[in-house]
C-alpha cells in the first residue's frame, strides 16, 4: 500500500509538507490533505481531515434515519 504522506512522497513539498493548518491553526504540522472549507480548497492536518470525515459520516447517518420518518406521514395522508 502506498504511503504518499511519508518520506519520499513529502520531500517535494514546500518545507516537506509542514506548515500551519487552516482549520485548527496548529503550526509546524504536516498539512498534506486537501479539504474543502467554506467553498475553498485548503490544506489541513490529518486530525482535521479525520474530524471533518467523521462529522460528515454522522450527518449522513442522521439524515438516513430522518428520511424514512419524513416519508411515513406522507404515505398515511
Amino acid at each position: 500500500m502506498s504511503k504518499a504522506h511519508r518520506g519520499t512522497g513529502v520531500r517535494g513539498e514546500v518545507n516537506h509538507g509542514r506548515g500551519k493548518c487552516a482549520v485548527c491553526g496548529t503550526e509546524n504540522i504536516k498539512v498534506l490533505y486537501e479539504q474543502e472549507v467554506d467553498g475553498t480548497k485548503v490544506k489541513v492536518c490529518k486530525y482535521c481531515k479525520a474530524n471533518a470525515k467523521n462529522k460528515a459520516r454522522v450527518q449522513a447517518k442522521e439524515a438516513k434515519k430522518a428520511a424514512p420518518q419524513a416519508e411515513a406521514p406522507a404515505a398515511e395522508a
Side-chain angles (χ1 to χ4, degrees):
M1 182 173 189
S2 174
K3 293 171 177 59
H5 302 297
R6 297 192 211 173
T8 57
V10 179
R11 287 188 190 138
E13 298 283 329
V14 177
N15 292 331
H16 296 275
R18 293 193 175 265
K20 183 175 180 179
C21 178
V23 177
C24 65
T26 305
E27 293 184 10
N28 200 24
I29 192 167
K30 287 183 184 177
V31 286
L32 302 170
Y33 307 90
E34 285 193 6
Q35 186 74 26
E36 189 168 324
V37 177
D38 297 331
T40 60
K41 287 210 175 209
V42 293
K43 293 235 180 182
V44 297
C45 63
K46 71 178 187 179
Y47 305 110
C48 293
K49 179 167 175 63
N51 188 21
K53 187 176 180 180
N54 287 332
K55 282 182 182 178
R57 183 179 51 86
V58 169
Q59 287 176 350
K61 190 175 182 181
E62 289 175 357
K64 188 176 180 182
K65 283 184 180 179
Q69 293 173 358
E71 292 176 10
E76 294 173 8

